[in-house]
Amino acid sequence: VASLGYGVAPAKATQPTTYNARTYLQTQLAKAVPRAEAAKLGDRNPKDYVVFSDNWKAADLGRDNTGDRRFVDTVFPTTVFPSDHAVLSMVLSDSNCDSDEL
């Protein structure tokens, strides 16, 4: 991706931003999975991205599925966090200047 002029992703960029599974109370009952098998059969993938040009440097990539700026490895949405995608955050700095200049 960097060869296309996009910035280089931090190692944590491949972590899942979704972790959900259809329940037996939802439509499309054939797609429902038991809660104990949600991690194996559910949708748990990195589906959200931050795109930036290669003149920026990425740091401090974060995911949040609690509303408290932390990520808990559990099925979501929940009653506290109603989204089925985690919130992503990232600090970008200008790759052409030293951190002392910021």
Side-chain angles (χ1 to χ4, degrees):
V1 174
S3 64
L4 298 173
Y6 295 106
V8 178
K12 292 192 323 184
T14 58
Q15 293 178 342
T17 59
T18 61
Y19 186 179
N20 51 53
R22 191 170 297 279
T23 70
Y24 291 103
L25 299 175
Q26 293 175 287
T27 57
Q28 297 181 341
L29 190 60
K31 293 182 180 181
V33 299
R35 185 156 179 92
E37 296 183 34
K40 184 173 78 171
L41 301 174
D43 180 11
R44 190 174 184 188
N45 294 292
K47 290 187 174 182
D48 302 284
Y49 304 91
V50 177
V51 179
F52 54 96
S53 65
D54 61 357
N55 61 327
W56 293 94
K57 186 169 137 185
D60 297 327
L61 176 63
R63 298 177 297 161
D64 178 4
N65 66 348
T66 65
D68 293 325
R69 296 184 179 167
R70 58 191 177 88
F71 188 86
V72 178
D73 194 23
T74 188
V75 176
F76 56 99
T78 65
T79 56
V80 175
F81 190 83
S83 177
D84 61 350
H85 288 254
V87 174
L88 297 180
S89 62
M90 179 185 295
V91 174
L92 295 174
S93 60
D94 188 338
S95 63
N96 296 319
C97 66
D98 296 326
S99 60
D100 295 339
E101 296 178 31
L102 298 176

